[in-house]
């Protein structure tokens, strides 16, 4: 059975604040560790009131310091927002503090709107430089050589697994060329998933970092004690997508009983397309859905996310998903 991992955005729910979001994040990571999830990844977003993981490396350190075995990493760092040297130093520091447990996933989107992207980058340069920035970053993790003018301290000679993230063919192609593991954002942008996976696996070039292709797929999994309750919990994610598209991102909303009264027909189509990779239901429904998703797409790992309003319900969802994994493992 393939490993399951967790993607967290440190959600800030209505009526709460970032401090509580961080407490929930650490609590969920500790639960994930006990339940046998392989990784706990946090994603960089900016200027979004409902997402508190903007200072991603800082939060990774908080989570890694409160756990002991689960891998902790970025899913991902939006590289155009940062100098490659600074990323190498930050993750070299994390890997020195928590050896063998830190992952670095890289994306080429800004993770925000254009005004905020400009504020982050200051001297604006588009994501066209992403391949060169990735190569520069990888070089900083190599052992320093005599006469090297710039080195990452710490970072040089430290093993930090680097992943490329994407929702298009671009990062699939670059991951294959560089021989890096690849994570596809199928949990919110699944349209190019099958084509990207095929391209990555077909064109993969072995490297010192990875001998054969390794692909992880994002999947929304919201599980509850009944299908009806899981569908109700999922309305939090559906509302969040609609609010974002309406230009009104806010705190994570509570679930509602009638999502049909909230969205327009075009919005419904948009959300259902964006969240097509979702398994929603009680344990048996989730088992069937995950089993079918794995059989169809053959990922090497699943990156599960659940944007659930109540922390206790979110914990329960990941408990059910872990139990489903164990059932599938026993059957296979």
């Amino acid at each position: 059975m393939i490993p399951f991992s967790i993607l967290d955005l440190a959600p800030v729910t209505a009526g709460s604040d970032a401090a509580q979001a961080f407490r929930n994040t650490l609590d969920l990571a500790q639960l994930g560790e006990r339940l046998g999830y392989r990784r706990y990844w946090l994603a960089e977003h900016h200027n979004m009131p409902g997402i508190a993981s903007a200072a991603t490396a800082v939060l990774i350190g908080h989570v890694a310091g409160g756990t002991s075995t689960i891998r902790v990493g970025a899913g991902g760092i939006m590289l155009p927002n940062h100098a490659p040297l600074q990323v190498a130093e930050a993750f070299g520091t994390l890997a020195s503090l928590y050896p063998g447990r830190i992952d670095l996933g890289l994306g080429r989107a800004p993770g925000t709107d254009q005004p905020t992207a400009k504020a982050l980058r200051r001297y604006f340069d588009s994501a066209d430089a992403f391949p060169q920035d990735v190569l520069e970053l990888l070089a900083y993790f190599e052992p320093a050589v005599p006469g090297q003018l710039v080195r990452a301290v710490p970072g040089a000679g430290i093993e930090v697994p680097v992943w490329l993230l994407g929702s298009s063919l671009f990062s699939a192609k670059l991951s294959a060329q560089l021989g890096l593991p690849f994570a596809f954002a199928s949990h919110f942008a699944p349209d190019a998933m099958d084509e990207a996976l095929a391209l990555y696996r077909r064109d993969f070039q072995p490297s010192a970092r990875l001998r054969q292709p390794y692909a992880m797929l994002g999947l929304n999994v919201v599980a509850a004690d009944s299908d009806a309750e899981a569908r109700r919990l999922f309305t939090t994610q559906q509302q969040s997508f609609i609010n974002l598209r309406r230009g009104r991102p806010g705190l994570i909303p509570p679930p509602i009983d009638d999502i049909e009264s909230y969205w327009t027909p075009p919005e419904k189509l948009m959300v259902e397309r964006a969240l097509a990779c979702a398994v929603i239901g009680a344990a048996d429904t989730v088992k069937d859905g995950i089993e079918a998703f794995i059989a169809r797409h053959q990922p090497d790992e699943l990156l599960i996310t659940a944007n659930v309003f109540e922390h206790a319900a979110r914990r329960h969802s990941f408990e059910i998903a872990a139990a489903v994994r164990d059932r599938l493992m026993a059957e296979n």
Side-chain angles (χ1 to χ4, degrees):
M1 185 58 198
I2 65 172
F4 285 14
S5 293
I6 296 173
L7 175 65
D8 182 19
L9 305 183
V12 185
T13 58
S16 187
D17 57 21
Q20 184 60 54
F22 297 146
R23 288 191 289 270
N24 291 345
T25 281
L26 180 56
D27 180 69
L28 184 61
Q30 292 169 340
L31 176 68
E33 182 171 77
R34 293 194 297 272
L35 294 174
Y37 285 92
R38 174 168 289 187
R39 310 174 203 278
Y40 195 94
W41 278 11
L42 294 143
E44 177 186 349
H45 291 274
H46 300 277
N47 198 29
M48 298 186 70
I51 297 177
S53 52
T56 317
V58 177
L59 195 51
I60 288 170
H62 174 62
V63 171
T67 53
S68 59
T69 58
I70 194 169
R71 298 193 66 89
V72 188
I77 292 293
M78 300 298 107
L79 191 54
N81 296 340
H82 310 275
L85 176 60
Q86 291 174 311
V87 176
E89 290 169 339
F91 280 79
T93 299
L94 288 167
S96 298
L97 289 167
Y98 309 105
R101 295 183 55 212
I102 301 298
D103 296 327
L104 173 54
L106 300 172
R108 69 184 185 106
T112 188
D113 53 58
Q114 285 304 314
T116 309
K118 186 175 180 180
L120 283 164
R121 301 173 188 177
R122 304 303 293 272
Y123 305 103
F124 183 78
D125 187 12
S126 73
D128 293 342
F130 182 70
Q132 292 73 32
D133 286 348
V134 171
L135 290 172
E136 180 183 345
L137 176 55
L138 292 173
Y140 287 130
F141 287 129
E142 295 298 322
V145 298
Q148 183 173 330
L149 296 178
V150 179
R151 64 180 67 184
V153 183
I158 296 177
E159 183 179 350
V160 179
V162 175
W163 297 63
L164 294 191
L165 318 180
S167 59
S168 69
L169 304 186
F170 184 96
S171 290
K173 182 177 181 180
L174 186 60
S175 299
Q177 290 174 344
L178 299 180
L180 296 175
F182 176 53
F184 191 85
S186 35
H187 58 293
F188 73 89
D191 287 355
M193 173 176 54
D194 290 331
E195 190 176 359
L197 278 177
L199 184 154
Y200 171 68
R201 289 164 171 160
R202 183 192 68 220
D203 295 346
F204 181 85
Q205 299 295 314
S207 70
R209 286 179 168 269
L210 190 65
R211 303 309 301 168
Q212 59 187 19
Y214 193 94
M216 179 160 60
L217 297 180
L219 182 65
N220 297 285
V221 177
V222 175
D225 292 334
S226 70
D227 287 356
E229 177 60 14
R231 288 193 297 268
R232 181 178 178 275
L233 295 178
F234 190 52
T235 63
T236 287
Q237 176 76 330
Q238 293 167 323
Q239 291 175 81
S240 295
F241 260 71
I242 295 166
N243 295 342
L244 183 61
R245 296 304 189 273
R246 290 176 179 174
R248 298 197 298 268
L251 300 180
I252 303 302
I256 56 178
D257 294 327
D258 183 16
I259 189 65
E260 298 297 332
S261 66
Y262 193 83
W263 55 24
T264 66
E267 287 173 338
K268 179 179 180 178
L269 290 174
M270 177 275 297
V271 171
E272 290 183 342
R273 180 171 179 174
L275 302 180
C277 290
V279 178
I280 314 299
D284 288 343
T285 302
V286 168
K287 177 179 178 293
D288 292 344
I290 289 179
E291 193 169 30
F293 185 84
I294 292 172
R296 177 178 176 183
H297 303 292
Q298 297 294 307
D300 298 293
E301 190 168 335
L302 281 186
L303 186 62
I304 293 174
T305 188
N307 192 358
V308 174
F309 180 78
E310 292 184 8
H311 184 60
R314 193 167 181 237
R315 284 173 52 96
H316 189 45
S317 180
F318 280 104
E319 289 172 341
I320 293 171
V324 164
R325 176 204 59 204
D326 295 343
R327 286 174 60 189
L328 291 171
M329 188 181 302
E331 293 175 4
N332 291 282

